[in-house]
């Protein structure tokens, strides 16, 4: 049986004072929950704060991006080893905002995935289609290509120490959630594609859904067979909402 994971993706939001309130409220609000994992992926400058406030708690923390290089003349980049230095457990790779706004292609994402694992981080690999692609009925091809780039570079066994997140681009920040059925269909497709390489890896892999997950829709999404939790943007910035989503993962 796969356990559930709820990951907050703060994106480019936060500030020292508000982070402190938010993190404390999340720790307190989830203290009685067992059997599911919770994490926050914060902007780089707040990793130290997350480490200080979360180190003795059940909440893990991580980053939202990582360099594919291990060190060198890469101005503005942050390596996986540096993230480990701040106690990160996870790092998001291949978020659609990075693919669309910063030109990250699937080959670069695969390199980042690998760099994260080499340093000991668990990559949270994001895949998902745009609205145009869904309407053109190529969702499965798009998601398959994004996934295959990682499998080709790192091998299917590398997925054992990773998390997948299906995030339909049209559902991100739009308030337009995929229906539980729509999400389940793609999650099942992803799992079947991995099972074609290794049924064992596929069965154990946590696949999160992301895209307008809120307190009022989390439970029905998390009830689906192949949905193992959520990657949460906007609602992860509001303590009560995020705590309620964590509680839905526990139910
Ligand atoms: P929202 O929850 O704000 O739609 O964002 C989803 C997301 O992109 C998480 O990575």
């Amino acid at each position: 049986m796969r356990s559930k994971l709820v990951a907050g993706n703060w994106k480019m939001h936060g500030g020292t004072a508000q982070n402190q309130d938010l993190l404390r409220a999340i720790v307190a609000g989830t203290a009685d929950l067992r059997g599911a994992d919770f994490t926050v992926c914060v902007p780089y400058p707040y990793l130290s704060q997350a480490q200080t406030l979360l180190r003795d708690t059940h909440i893990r923390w991580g980053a939202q991006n990582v360099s594919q290089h291990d060190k060198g003349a890469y101005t503005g980049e942050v390596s996986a080893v540096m993230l480990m230095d701040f106690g990160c457990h996870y790092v998001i790779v291949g978020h659609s905002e990075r693919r669309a706004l910063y030109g990250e292609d699937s080959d670069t994402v695969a390199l980042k995935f690998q760099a994260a694992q080499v340093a000991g981080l668990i990559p949270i690999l994001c895949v998902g289609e745009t609205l145009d692609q869904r309407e053109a009925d190529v969702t499965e091809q798009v998601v398959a290509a994004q996934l295959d780039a990682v499998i080709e570079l790192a091998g299917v066994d590398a997925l054992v120490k990773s998390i997948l997140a299906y995030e339909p681009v049209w559902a991100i920040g739009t308030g337009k959630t995929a229906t539980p059925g729509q999400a389940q269909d793609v999650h099942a497709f992803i799992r079947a594609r991995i099972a074609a390489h290794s049924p064992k890896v596929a069965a154990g892999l946590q696949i999160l859904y992301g895209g307008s997950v809120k307190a009022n829709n989390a439970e029905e999404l998390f009830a689906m067979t192949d949905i193992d939790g959520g990657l949460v943007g906007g609602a992860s910035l509001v303590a009560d909402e995020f705590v309620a989503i964590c509680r839905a993962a526990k139910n």
Side-chain angles (χ1 to χ4, degrees), residues 42-215:
V42 308
Y44 293 140
Y46 302 126
L47 285 173
S48 171
Q49 185 184 24
Q51 185 176 33
T52 302
L53 291 174
L54 301 177
R55 71 158 52 98
D56 295 322
T57 76
H58 58 292
I59 309 283
R60 289 171 166 156
W61 60 97
Q64 303 167 14
N65 184 27
V66 65
S67 173
Q68 67 268 46
H69 306 291
D70 59 353
K71 62 178 156 204
Y74 301 105
T75 302
E77 291 290 281
V78 172
S79 74
V81 168
M82 293 173 186
L83 297 181
M84 288 296 288
D85 206 11
F86 283 88
C88 287
H89 195 80
Y90 299 102
V91 62
I92 297 170
V93 297
H95 192 280
S96 63
E97 286 150 18
R98 298 221 53 92
R99 293 180 192 260
L101 303 173
Y102 300 96
E104 285 186 16
D105 60 18
S106 289
D107 292 338
T108 306
V109 172
L111 290 168
K112 290 184 175 210
F113 178 101
Q114 201 169 44
Q117 283 193 332
V118 166
L121 292 161
I122 308 269
I124 301 177
L125 171 67
C126 299
V127 298
E129 82 289 2
T130 63
L131 186 58
D132 283 353
Q133 290 165 333
R134 174 160 283 263
E135 285 174 349
D137 211 16
V138 293
T139 297
E140 292 188 352
Q141 287 94 311
V142 169
V143 168
Q146 292 169 338
L147 188 59
D148 289 354
V150 171
I151 296 176
E152 276 161 29
L153 182 77
V156 72
D157 289 336
L159 293 176
V160 171
K161 289 194 173 159
S162 80
I163 310 282
L164 244 72
Y166 168 57
E167 297 208 315
V169 179
W170 49 272
I172 295 178
T174 56
K176 211 167 152 191
T177 324
T179 65
Q182 281 174 321
Q184 166 60 27
D185 285 349
V186 182
H187 283 232
F189 168 77
I190 291 170
R191 204 178 298 285
R193 191 158 184 101
I194 296 165
H197 297 274
S198 166
K200 188 159 171 256
V201 172
L205 183 68
Q206 287 174 309
I207 309 178
L208 313 183
Y209 167 78
S212 298
V213 176
K214 308 283 177 211

